[in-house]
Amino acid sequence: MAPTVATERVASSADAGLAPDELRQIYREMLLTRLLDERMIQLNRAGKAPFVISCQGQEAAQIGAAFALDMTKDWLLPYYRDLGVCLHAGMTPVEVLLALFGKPADPSSGGRQMPAHYGSRRLRIVTGSSPVATQLLHAVGVAYAAKIRREESVAFTSCGEGSTSEGDFHEALNFAAIHRLPVIFFIENNHYAISLPAERQMAVPNVADRAAGYGLPGIAVDGSDPVATYAAMREAVARARGGDGPTLVEAKVARFQPHSGDDDDLYRTREEVAALRQHDPLASFRETLTARGLWDDTQETTLRAQYRAEIDAADEFAESAPDADAATLFDHVFAMTNDE
Amino acid sequence: MAPTVATERVASSADAGLAPDELRQIYREMLLTRLLDERMIQLNRAGKAPFVISCQGQEAAQIGAAFALDMTKDWLLPYYRDLGVCLHAGMTPVEVLLALFGKPADPSSGGRQMPAHYGSRRLRIVTGSSPVATQLLHAVGVAYAAKIRREESVAFTSCGEGSTSEGDFHEALNFAAIHRLPVIFFIENNHYAISLPAERQMAVPNVADRAAGYGLPGIAVDGSDPVATYAAMREAVARARGGDGPTLVEAKVARFQPHSGDDDDLYRTREEVAALRQHDPLASFRETLTARGLWDDTQETTLRAQYRAEIDAADEFAESAPDADAATLFDHVFAMTNDE
Amino acid sequence: MPVKTLVEAVHDALHEEMARDERVVVLGEDVGFKGGVFKASVGLLDTFGADRVLDTPLAESGIVGTAIGMALNDLRPVAEIQFADFIHPAMDQIMNEAAKIRYRSNGDFGCPLVVRAPFGGGIHGALYHSQSVEALFAHIPGLKVVIPGTPYDAKGLLKSAIRDPDPVIFFEHKRMYRLFRQEVPDGDYTVPIGTVRVAREGRDLTAIAYGLMLHYTLDAAETVAREGIEVEVLDLRTLVPLDKATILASVEKTSKALIVHEDTHTGGFGAELAATIAEDAFEYLDGPIRRLAGPDVPAMPFSTALEDAFMLNPAKIAQAMRDLAKY
Amino acid sequence: MPVKTLVEAVHDALHEEMARDERVVVLGEDVGFKGGVFKASVGLLDTFGADRVLDTPLAESGIVGTAIGMALNDLRPVAEIQFADFIHPAMDQIMNEAAKIRYRSNGDFGCPLVVRAPFGGGIHGALYHSQSVEALFAHIPGLKVVIPGTPYDAKGLLKSAIRDPDPVIFFEHKRMYRLFRQEVPDGDYTVPIGTVRVAREGRDLTAIAYGLMLHYTLDAAETVAREGIEVEVLDLRTLVPLDKATILASVEKTSKALIVHEDTHTGGFGAELAATIAEDAFEYLDGPIRRLAGPDVPAMPFSTALEDAFMLNPAKIAQAMRDLAKY
Ligand SMILES: Cc1ncc(C[n+]2csc(CCOP(=O)(O)OP(=O)(O)O)c2C)c(N)n1
Ligand SMILES: Cc1ncc(C[n+]2csc(CCOP(=O)(O)OP(=O)(O)O)c2C)c(N)n1
Ligand SMILES: [Mg+2]
Ligand SMILES: [Mg+2]
């Protein structure tokens, strides 16, 4: 049985083999994720979008993790906070904003689901729902199919630490371990499930501590460090592709925003949230890259301007995209109705 | 956090403080359990009872465990194989056989449930169902109520190793650990869930290995040794009563009979079953007691004759007890209908 | 008299019942420190303490399963499921356990449990924050199913539910939580479970509704009244046990029945109402029994246009009333 | 032509579909080495290997949830739930996931999944090995619900279900597994989902039934035929999508409808059938729509006397036919 490594920090020695270009690319994706997320919050506050759910504070974990995957063959089964993961997979700001506005051109659901319920066969993102942790089982089934077809593909699925309390988490890990399936359970532990702090969600310090009980390795990693997250994930991917079965990777992150646009966040003090923001993964990765001469203020200014323009254009496009035709309400109940 | 002790054999040093009388009493209860179980199988084979489910091979674990409880204040939430536990709690052979024949005088359900679905408020046995592992959550709630009322009572609940794959197992252990509740999860690992061997039910060797992931102690014990089981349970009970929270105790046992009267048992070879029977806990505890001068053949013969007579009488009584009145079908849907 | 919203009425019922009976405990996701995502339990933690107001882990089967255990050991748990859409993981505990405990134990054990959940759409909640699931529970003997139509009834019915010796599933339409205020007395009163309220008298047809649809139906009745059609509107309030007498008496008077619900059509609770009327008031019927319900699509979409297309509204209901009156 | 029992027909459908399409996999508790507790999958493991015939851990949500993942990744899983009574832990995966995948993805993903489960009573299975749960699933748009009434249909309908691009819930009455044999062709044929079969023609009243009750209803029809009452018996076969045309045509002919099911009365699928007839065939009706169903008690008891009291039988059905014919 593979060992459980429950440690707060996996060293990101030698950039985990990432080239300077790749490090910069990670930063770029983190920045785009942040800027798009900020825009969505603005749109929600302005009353233009009825719902928003933010990933601010979790970008490093998301982009670091996604970087370890091969999007030509792996499958993603993300959760609602995984904006960064889905942007990495190829979803565009326009597509994300089409979903925010519930427009029929939204590729995830044609405006049917709430925003942040990602899905796209083209991008190998499996359609997800709101009930938490259900996708973990789907990932196990996806990995099972890949395994018996002798495909090299890995199923990546994620959820918050709170969602690991659901029975489906247990059933998924057990099933995956028995069949040594190529699936990675990526837990984004932001220490809160809406108002419930992680200490009252579970009586162990790490979600990763649960892995051993299933016979699979559990790794806890500093999710504010994209390279450390990448390194842990790369090992997990290698294990999965090599036929050595599933891994649970837990990224310790922080949630900078309220749970969602509907949450008052009164269960945390403003000081607590401010303290979290002191360790912004975006800022600190920028500092790291800058200190190493891989990034400078000019590049930052240029890139921000470029992304702002891109997001402005996307926003304009998505907001003015046509609304759904009411007659489409009955489409896609069954395959026979309209498709196939 | 309490440590996980996953060991096959907890030494039964100094009889775990059990007096000779208590050791003999344990043996007597094991014997009664076996003889009553055998009778029920005969009645099923003879076509007199439509359903039977046997505990043969698990008597030592059941009686040893139950001996650690205080039936004046603890609650039992057993499972269908726990004939021994329920006899210890005070259920009589007559009562058990009334249920076997589905007679209205059956105290568990008035003949409504299948046999072996034990329940009795008087005996502090909480009514149970067939869907496995659901009672683990009930035990957690029972323990919670006891805890907030500052009662000393412990909730004992049990299930097979296969049933630990259900989501409810996970949710129950997590909840119990967070609140450090006085509940004991007693897992009777007979290595099969109907036809599925334990190695394909889970990728860890012991159910007890799962406990650490919840932050509670997990103890594996040789369930063919009633004293070892008692010793492990006594510690768990002390921990629960002392406010130190839940424990998972796993008793390694063997299932001598098919899963139930409806099972052909063809997934095991006859040799495998015969080999298991070589280590009959009833026979070996008798040998132990005999070797230590606590038991002899005369006592055995007398006791068997006594139990046979008792079971004969119970059988006759239960078989000839009146059948249910069809009009009672509508009783107890809601409290208002007939009671309260 | 104070005027209150529906969610305030729910809150008051919880608060008063906890004060009245120390066996009453409240549990669920975010019900304690946050006071519930809709604030139904705000302040209870401060008043009654953490033993009795329990923020649970994120696990619905666990919430209901532990609540059942509490009920079995002499507490009176009120479990909140954050959205009715998330009640499914608890269906085994509700349907196979809570509903059957009294029956299977031949009356030896009871299960005095309330499961509360906000339901219904029209709030951009999309597929998983808009569902109506009452028909699933109404089919399970051993459960009572209650849906208040007004703040007054919400308080009185929830108190009855908490005092009931059997499991009660209590759905609150989330769009109604703050939609309007009504006079709600401070202090103790109950509304009995199992009685239909005649919300409006009329002679031309009987319309039966509950939850948000009650109000749309009353609006529609006002509209068609101006056209000379007098609709009797029944506020169902309780699905199980069903107050057949009041329903049948009304249909016997009006000879026509329109059933309105937000839940989808096929197998919705309207089917049971229609079937009951078709069987027991057949001789009085002067027209087909009409069901006006949500469309048979998997769930309510997010897009405003699609959500509007899914939801009934007073205009659609008024049209159905006119059509049926004309028959 | 070979004669087969219903369980043999199910087995043959599984075997032939696995041979026909290597994407078909079978999974569930004890389905592999043991061949299923009712032996429906016996021999499949030997023929098709462990990759395609999967003995799962004891976890129903896991069975259905992983099967959904398989379906999403181009397999055609057939999941067995050992008894319909144990399907509840999987309700979230079935109702919130499988049923909504096509709709929520706007057609981008489909979920070609079959969930099979034995249901029904009369075998001393008591509360938890006797349940009828079809009405719960028939209420969920996005699911198809099929219940074969004969071995011939069992094979043909199961093949259609396996080839269907959408989730199909397939219930087999366990009392019927070995009750009788019927001619069942070897080799390939399908019976389309969504069509009612006229099992017996008659002019005096229409009786609609499915599962074991179909046979009791046919027996009862024979009995009352000797008294001059000619009953048209419809074998429903598919609950969703409902073949309204055949049902309405029959009721228009006979003017009277009797619906028979083993499941409990309130909110059973009979309510939907009655409501549909009351709405769409009102003008043709010549008597109240009768539902004859299981009693509204939490579940079927074990005791023979109580089980008999719970279950319908041909005599009770014949009496209902006589009463309705007389109306
Ligand atoms: C089955 C289910 N129950 C409840 C909810 C409501 N809910 C949405 S998110 C959430 C908290 C999730 O916390 P966590 O898993 O830690 O993820 P985070 O949002 O913190 O990233 C809850 C309770 C849900 N979506 N699904
Ligand atoms: C939820 C549920 N699923 C399936 C079953 C059918 N079933 C009854 S016992 C059993 C195996 C249980 O195995 P285990 O937990 O190891 O207990 P054992 O019978 O071996 O003592 C199964 C699958 C059930 N009773 N409940
Ligand atoms: Mg979290
Ligand atoms: Mg076992």
Side-chain angles (χ1 to χ4, degrees):
Chain A
M1 206 181 320
T4 295
V5 189
T7 159
E8 287 288 316
R9 299 193 176 252
V10 166
S12 61
S13 61
D15 298 333
L18 289 163
D21 265 357
E22 290 175 305
L23 294 168
R24 272 189 296 264
Q25 181 58 19
I26 287 176
Y27 179 70
R28 282 192 205 98
E29 293 186 16
M30 285 171 60
L31 181 63
L32 176 61
T33 304
R34 173 67 59 89
L35 295 177
L36 183 56
D37 193 285
E38 286 174 350
R39 173 62 56 91
M40 291 198 284
I41 290 178
Q42 283 165 21
L43 288 165
N44 175 249
R45 293 218 181 110
K48 291 187 174 184
F51 180 78
V52 73
I53 193 151
S54 167
C55 74
Q56 287 178 39
Q58 306 187 192
E59 297 93 341
Q62 293 180 7
I63 305 295
F67 242 76
L69 299 168
D70 178 347
M71 287 318 304
T72 66
K73 52 175 124 163
D74 296 335
W75 285 100
L76 299 179
L77 296 96
Y79 86 122
Y80 48 80
R81 253 182 242 295
D82 277 334
L83 176 62
V85 172
C86 294
L87 289 175
H88 176 82
M91 204 159 264
T92 64
V94 170
E95 291 174 330
V96 170
L97 292 172
L98 283 164
L100 187 78
F101 297 120
K103 296 300 173 76
D106 150 37
S108 291
S109 79
R112 287 172 170 198
Q113 292 225 68
M114 289 174 103
H117 287 58
Y118 304 103
S120 165
R121 176 177 291 285
R122 180 178 50 91
L123 300 176
R124 308 180 69 82
I125 303 172
V126 174
T127 172
S129 66
S130 306
V132 297
T134 53
Q135 73 275 18
L136 273 55
L137 282 166
H138 305 168
V140 170
V142 164
Y144 187 87
K147 183 178 174 176
I148 68 169
R149 284 196 302 260
R150 313 283 181 267
E151 292 168 3
E152 275 240 306
S153 111
V154 171
F156 167 92
T157 188
S158 58
C159 67
E161 87 294 344
S163 304
T164 68
S165 295
E166 292 280 0
D168 277 3
F169 169 85
H170 175 70
E171 301 187 13
L173 267 70
N174 189 41
F175 197 105
I178 292 168
H179 291 279
R180 299 181 75 76
L181 297 179
V183 55
I184 296 169
F185 302 103
F186 185 68
I187 313 300
E188 302 182 32
N189 183 348
N190 60 14
H191 305 282
Y192 280 93
I194 309 184
S195 69
L196 195 70
E199 313 87 73
R200 291 167 62 211
Q201 188 73 247
M202 61 192 86
V204 289
N206 308 295
V207 176
D209 298 341
R210 299 212 150 141
Y214 298 97
L216 57 91
I219 322 270
V221 64
D222 177 0
S224 74
D225 178 348
V227 179
T229 309
Y230 168 80
M233 274 289 298
R234 199 183 44 170
E235 272 181 47
V237 169
R239 202 174 289 124
R241 268 200 240 293
D244 294 326
T247 305
L248 185 155
V249 178
E250 174 186 15
K252 305 283 193 180
V253 294
R255 197 189 80 204
F256 289 172
Q257 294 288 336
H259 172 75
S260 77
D262 298 329
D263 179 28
D264 58 20
D265 214 353
L266 291 180
Y267 44 84
R268 303 194 286 190
T269 62
R270 290 319 90 199
E271 294 68 42
E272 178 181 343
V273 178
L276 292 176
R277 285 177 169 281
Q278 290 304 309
H279 303 280
D280 186 335
L282 189 72
S284 60
F285 195 48
R286 178 180 167 187
E287 276 165 35
T288 306
L289 293 187
T290 307
R292 294 185 42 197
L294 296 174
W295 195 251
D296 63 28
D297 289 358
T298 321
Q299 283 170 298
E300 178 79 12
T301 313
T302 314
L303 189 62
R304 280 184 180 258
Q306 179 199 319
Y307 281 158
R308 288 241 166 73
E310 200 180 310
I311 291 169
D312 283 344
D315 186 352
E316 207 183 298
F317 179 89
E319 252 181 275
S320 58
D323 278 321
D325 174 355
T328 62
L329 181 69
F330 293 92
D331 293 353
H332 307 301
V333 177
F334 291 122
M336 285 68 102
T337 16
N338 277 19
D339 36 57
E340 272 152 282
Chain B
M1 204 179 321
T4 295
V5 189
T7 161
E8 288 288 316
R9 299 194 174 251
V10 167
S12 61
S13 61
D15 299 332
L18 289 162
D21 263 358
E22 290 174 306
L23 293 169
R24 273 189 296 264
Q25 180 59 17
I26 287 176
Y27 179 71
R28 282 191 206 98
E29 293 187 16
M30 286 171 60
L31 181 64
L32 176 61
T33 304
R34 174 66 58 89
L35 294 177
L36 182 56
D37 193 285
E38 285 174 350
R39 173 63 56 92
M40 291 197 284
I41 290 179
Q42 283 166 20
L43 289 166
N44 176 249
R45 294 218 181 108
K48 291 188 176 182
F51 180 78
V52 74
I53 193 151
S54 167
C55 73
Q56 288 178 40
Q58 307 186 193
E59 299 92 341
Q62 293 180 6
I63 304 295
F67 243 76
L69 299 168
D70 178 347
M71 287 317 305
T72 64
K73 53 174 122 162
D74 296 334
W75 284 101
L76 299 179
L77 295 96
Y79 86 122
Y80 47 80
R81 252 182 243 294
D82 277 334
L83 175 62
V85 173
C86 293
L87 288 175
H88 175 83
M91 203 158 263
T92 64
V94 171
E95 292 174 330
V96 170
L97 292 172
L98 284 165
L100 187 80
F101 296 120
K103 296 298 174 79
D106 149 37
S108 292
S109 80
R112 288 172 169 198
Q113 292 225 67
M114 289 174 103
H117 287 58
Y118 304 103
S120 164
R121 175 177 292 284
R122 181 178 47 91
L123 301 176
R124 307 180 69 83
I125 304 171
V126 173
T127 172
S129 67
S130 306
V132 297
T134 53
Q135 73 276 17
L136 273 55
L137 282 166
H138 304 168
V140 170
V142 164
Y144 186 87
K147 183 179 174 178
I148 68 170
R149 283 197 302 260
R150 314 282 180 269
E151 292 168 2
E152 277 242 303
S153 111
V154 171
F156 167 92
T157 187
S158 58
C159 68
E161 86 294 343
S163 304
T164 68
S165 294
E166 292 280 1
D168 277 3
F169 169 85
H170 176 69
E171 302 188 13
L173 268 68
N174 189 41
F175 196 105
I178 292 168
H179 291 279
R180 301 181 75 75
L181 296 179
V183 54
I184 296 169
F185 302 103
F186 186 68
I187 313 299
E188 302 181 32
N189 184 348
N190 60 15
H191 305 280
Y192 279 93
I194 308 185
S195 70
L196 195 70
E199 314 86 72
R200 292 168 60 212
Q201 188 73 246
M202 62 193 86
V204 288
N206 307 297
V207 175
D209 298 340
R210 300 215 147 139
Y214 299 97
L216 57 92
I219 322 270
V221 65
D222 176 359
S224 74
D225 178 349
V227 179
T229 309
Y230 168 79
M233 273 289 298
R234 199 185 45 171
E235 272 181 46
V237 169
R239 202 174 290 124
R241 266 199 241 292
D244 294 325
T247 305
L248 185 155
V249 178
E250 174 186 15
K252 306 281 193 181
V253 295
R255 197 189 79 202
F256 290 170
Q257 293 288 336
H259 171 74
S260 76
D262 298 330
D263 178 28
D264 59 20
D265 214 351
L266 291 179
Y267 44 85
R268 304 194 286 189
T269 62
R270 290 318 90 198
E271 294 68 41
E272 179 183 341
V273 178
L276 291 176
R277 287 177 168 281
Q278 291 304 307
H279 303 280
D280 186 334
L282 189 72
S284 59
F285 195 51
R286 177 179 168 187
E287 276 165 35
T288 306
L289 294 187
T290 307
R292 294 184 42 199
L294 297 174
W295 196 251
D296 63 29
D297 289 359
T298 321
Q299 282 170 299
E300 178 79 12
T301 314
T302 314
L303 189 63
R304 281 182 179 260
Q306 179 200 319
Y307 282 157
R308 286 242 167 73
E310 200 180 312
I311 292 169
D312 282 344
D315 186 354
E316 207 183 297
F317 179 89
E319 250 181 276
S320 58
D323 278 320
D325 174 355
T328 63
L329 181 69
F330 292 92
D331 292 353
H332 306 302
V333 176
F334 291 122
M336 286 68 101
T337 16
N338 277 20
D339 36 59
E340 270 151 280
Chain C
M1 212 187 289
V3 289
K4 308 236 163 162
T5 62
L6 195 133
V7 73
E8 287 163 355
V10 166
H11 170 273
D12 290 358
L14 292 173
H15 192 286
E16 291 176 21
E17 289 304 297
M18 291 191 80
R20 176 179 176 273
D21 182 350
E22 65 173 15
R23 297 173 306 168
V24 177
V25 298
V26 165
L27 71 162
E29 294 155 14
D30 305 291
V31 300
F33 205 61
K34 185 176 166 71
V37 295
F38 292 101
K39 302 285 175 196
S41 51
V42 80
L44 299 182
L45 178 64
D46 286 345
T47 311
F48 302 105
D51 277 358
R52 294 180 62 200
V53 184
L54 209 62
D55 277 318
T56 64
L58 210 183
E60 288 75 14
S61 188
I63 292 168
V64 175
T66 51
I68 290 170
M70 294 173 190
L72 288 164
N73 199 2
D74 206 27
L75 295 181
R76 294 285 182 141
V78 183
E80 177 177 291
I81 298 294
Q82 200 161 77
F83 288 84
D85 316 57
F86 306 138
I87 203 168
H88 302 70
M91 282 190 180
D92 192 42
Q93 287 288 351
I94 297 174
M95 296 179 174
N96 267 335
E97 302 298 327
K100 295 180 173 60
I101 279 174
R102 185 178 299 280
Y103 196 76
R104 80 182 183 214
S105 68
N106 209 25
D108 200 22
F109 287 89
C111 186
L113 162 72
V114 178
V115 179
R116 289 180 47 243
F119 83 106
I123 53 130
H124 285 97
L127 282 81
Y128 300 107
H129 296 79
S130 305
Q131 293 177 24
S132 299
V133 299
E134 64 275 8
L136 302 175
F137 297 95
H139 179 48
I140 306 298
L143 300 178
K144 299 181 183 180
V145 182
V146 174
I147 303 183
T150 62
Y152 179 92
D153 280 353
K155 180 171 169 184
L157 283 166
L158 184 51
K159 282 172 163 262
S160 293
I162 293 171
R163 298 178 198 181
D164 199 282
D166 288 299
V168 180
I169 315 297
F170 196 92
F171 292 118
E172 302 152 13
H173 200 294
K174 67 177 86 71
R175 176 84 180 81
M176 282 170 65
Y177 269 149
R178 296 181 171 81
L179 195 61
F180 60 89
R181 289 170 187 277
Q182 185 192 22
E183 292 198 337
V184 175
D186 278 332
D188 197 38
Y189 69 93
T190 60
V191 172
I193 291 175
T195 61
V196 165
R197 182 175 68 94
V198 180
R200 186 186 197 285
E201 300 211 11
R203 55 164 195 270
D204 295 328
L205 69 91
T206 298
I208 311 173
Y210 54 90
L212 182 64
M213 291 308 114
L214 169 69
H215 300 281
Y216 289 3
T217 301
L218 285 167
D219 284 357
E222 289 304 314
T223 302
V224 300
R226 292 193 289 272
E227 303 160 21
I229 302 169
E230 287 301 334
V231 178
E232 178 141 308
V233 179
L234 304 187
D235 177 3
L236 194 59
R237 303 200 293 193
T238 301
L239 282 64
V240 181
L242 186 62
D243 177 6
K244 286 192 196 180
T246 305
I247 294 169
L248 295 174
S250 176
V251 175
E252 287 172 15
K253 180 173 85 175
T254 64
S255 300
K256 285 178 176 169
L258 170 68
I259 298 152
V260 184
H261 59 62
E262 181 179 325
D263 191 12
T264 53
H265 181 93
T266 296
F269 196 70
E272 178 59 34
L273 294 171
T276 298
I277 294 166
E279 185 150 15
D280 295 341
F282 177 72
E283 309 229 352
Y284 299 89
L285 281 176
D286 225 14
I289 303 165
R290 282 292 320 269
R291 284 184 288 166
L292 195 64
D296 279 332
V297 304
M300 199 176 303
F302 176 72
S303 138
T304 307
L306 296 178
E307 186 181 69
D308 287 350
F310 184 105
M311 287 289 285
L312 297 177
N313 58 39
K316 294 181 197 175
I317 300 169
Q319 194 49 49
M321 289 172 172
R322 286 182 203 107
D323 292 346
L324 187 56
K326 235 184 309 189
Y327 186 93
Chain D
M1 211 186 291
V3 291
K4 308 235 162 159
T5 62
L6 194 133
V7 72
E8 287 163 354
V10 166
H11 170 272
D12 289 359
L14 292 172
H15 192 286
E16 290 176 22
E17 291 303 297
M18 291 192 80
R20 177 180 176 271
D21 182 350
E22 65 173 16
R23 298 174 306 169
V24 178
V25 298
V26 165
L27 71 162
E29 294 155 13
D30 306 291
V31 300
F33 205 63
K34 185 177 167 72
V37 295
F38 292 102
K39 301 284 173 196
S41 51
V42 80
L44 299 182
L45 178 65
D46 287 344
T47 311
F48 301 106
D51 277 359
R52 294 180 62 200
V53 184
L54 209 64
D55 277 319
T56 64
L58 210 183
E60 288 75 14
S61 188
I63 291 168
V64 176
T66 52
I68 289 171
M70 294 173 190
L72 288 164
N73 200 2
D74 206 28
L75 295 181
R76 295 287 182 140
V78 183
E80 177 177 293
I81 298 293
Q82 199 161 77
F83 288 84
D85 316 59
F86 305 138
I87 203 168
H88 303 70
M91 281 190 180
D92 191 43
Q93 287 287 350
I94 296 174
M95 296 180 174
N96 268 334
E97 302 297 326
K100 295 180 173 59
I101 278 173
R102 186 178 299 281
Y103 196 75
R104 79 180 183 215
S105 68
N106 209 24
D108 199 23
F109 287 89
C111 186
L113 162 72
V114 179
V115 179
R116 290 180 47 244
F119 83 104
I123 52 131
H124 285 96
L127 282 80
Y128 299 107
H129 296 79
S130 305
Q131 293 178 24
S132 299
V133 298
E134 64 276 9
L136 302 175
F137 297 94
H139 180 49
I140 306 298
L143 300 178
K144 300 181 182 181
V145 181
V146 175
I147 303 182
T150 62
Y152 179 90
D153 280 353
K155 180 171 169 184
L157 284 166
L158 184 52
K159 282 172 164 261
S160 293
I162 293 171
R163 297 178 198 182
D164 199 283
D166 288 299
V168 179
I169 314 298
F170 197 92
F171 292 118
E172 303 151 13
H173 200 294
K174 67 178 87 69
R175 176 83 180 82
M176 281 170 66
Y177 270 149
R178 296 183 170 79
L179 195 60
F180 59 89
R181 290 170 186 276
Q182 185 191 22
E183 290 197 340
V184 175
D186 278 331
D188 198 37
Y189 69 94
T190 60
V191 173
I193 291 174
T195 61
V196 165
R197 182 175 68 94
V198 181
R200 185 185 197 285
E201 300 211 11
R203 56 167 193 271
D204 295 327
L205 69 94
T206 299
I208 312 173
Y210 54 90
L212 181 64
M213 291 307 114
L214 169 69
H215 300 281
Y216 288 3
T217 302
L218 285 167
D219 283 358
E222 289 304 313
T223 303
V224 299
R226 291 193 290 273
E227 304 160 19
I229 303 168
E230 287 301 334
V231 178
E232 179 142 308
V233 178
L234 304 186
D235 177 4
L236 194 59
R237 302 201 292 194
T238 301
L239 281 65
V240 182
L242 185 62
D243 177 6
K244 286 191 196 179
T246 304
I247 294 168
L248 295 174
S250 177
V251 175
E252 287 172 15
K253 180 173 86 176
T254 64
S255 301
K256 284 177 178 169
L258 170 69
I259 299 152
V260 185
H261 59 62
E262 181 179 325
D263 190 12
T264 53
H265 181 94
T266 297
F269 196 70
E272 178 58 35
L273 294 170
T276 298
I277 294 166
E279 185 150 16
D280 295 342
F282 177 72
E283 309 228 350
Y284 298 89
L285 282 175
D286 225 14
I289 303 165
R290 281 294 320 269
R291 286 183 286 165
L292 195 64
D296 280 332
V297 304
M300 199 175 303
F302 176 73
S303 137
T304 307
L306 296 177
E307 186 181 69
D308 286 350
F310 184 105
M311 287 289 283
L312 297 177
N313 57 40
K316 294 182 197 174
I317 300 170
Q319 193 50 48
M321 289 171 172
R322 284 183 204 108
D323 293 345
L324 186 57
K326 237 184 306 184
Y327 185 92

